[in-house]
Amino acid sequence: KLPAASSIKLPAASSATKSPPKKASLAGRRILIVEDVPSIRTLAARMVVRAGGSVETAKNGRQGFDRVVKSIEDNNPFCVVFMDCHMPVMGGPDAIAKIIAHVGPEKAPPIIGLTADVGDRITATFKDSGAVAVLSKPYTNDQLIDFVNKYRRQ
């Protein structure tokens, strides 16, 4: 015979389940996502929008370069750029190096490399090109927000 429901003792909830999800905001932040895979590009853009930021996207490094340069010329630069590594037309590290060479390191927005290939070689390639950090795929909404808030230009 089972005990009455009122006599069943459940373990206390852990502190992880008691705390609400992180409430980080990207309000007022303008972010560029450069990613060739449409589903990943869309998901990252949704993460930014849900956190209150505004987002533009590009599907390869050449488009990313063009959008960064135009944003600077229009005096409306991105606060941060996320740049995938392996893309058609122009890859991430090449695009990053080209952006920095074209606009100069003082005007270039902070650029964060995105890759599923998280080895030391790829991280070094991104850093050598001028990336401020590398975020490995898959990443969470909180990780993306944390990287924006840590590396963004004011």
Side-chain angles (χ1 to χ4, degrees):
K1 187 172 181 182
L2 293 173
S6 62
S7 66
I8 296 174
K9 301 276 188 199
L10 297 175
S14 73
S15 61
T17 58
K18 286 182 183 176
S19 60
K22 193 181 218 177
K23 297 279 189 199
S25 174
L26 296 180
R29 308 283 183 244
R30 188 163 171 264
I31 296 153
L32 175 64
I33 306 287
V34 185
E35 168 65 61
D36 63 318
V37 178
S39 59
I40 297 173
R41 190 171 57 240
T42 299
L43 179 61
R46 284 182 183 162
M47 288 177 176
V48 170
V49 170
R50 272 186 287 205
S54 66
V55 66
E56 287 189 34
T57 63
K59 62 183 179 181
N60 61 58
R62 178 64 201 189
Q63 284 185 355
F65 169 82
D66 291 342
R67 282 181 176 75
V68 169
V69 170
K70 182 168 180 0
S71 74
I72 292 167
E73 289 171 351
D74 292 347
N75 200 28
N76 189 20
F78 296 102
C79 75
V80 73
V81 174
F82 287 94
M83 182 81 67
D84 187 29
C85 186
H86 304 291
M87 296 179 286
V89 183
M90 182 185 296
D94 291 339
I96 294 167
K98 188 171 180 168
I99 288 166
I100 293 169
H102 187 80
V103 303
E106 66 287 341
K107 287 189 178 180
I111 304 173
I112 298 166
L114 293 175
T115 185
D117 181 7
V118 293
D120 291 340
R121 182 184 60 77
I122 231 29
T123 299
T125 299
F126 265 123
K127 294 284 189 162
D128 291 346
S129 71
V132 297
V134 178
L135 180 59
S136 62
K137 296 178 195 175
Y139 47 86
T140 67
N141 190 58
D142 284 344
Q143 288 172 315
L144 185 122
I145 291 167
D146 288 347
F147 269 65
V148 170
N149 288 324
K150 181 175 182 178
Y151 296 103
R152 68 182 165 82
R153 180 123 331 129
Q154 299 298 330

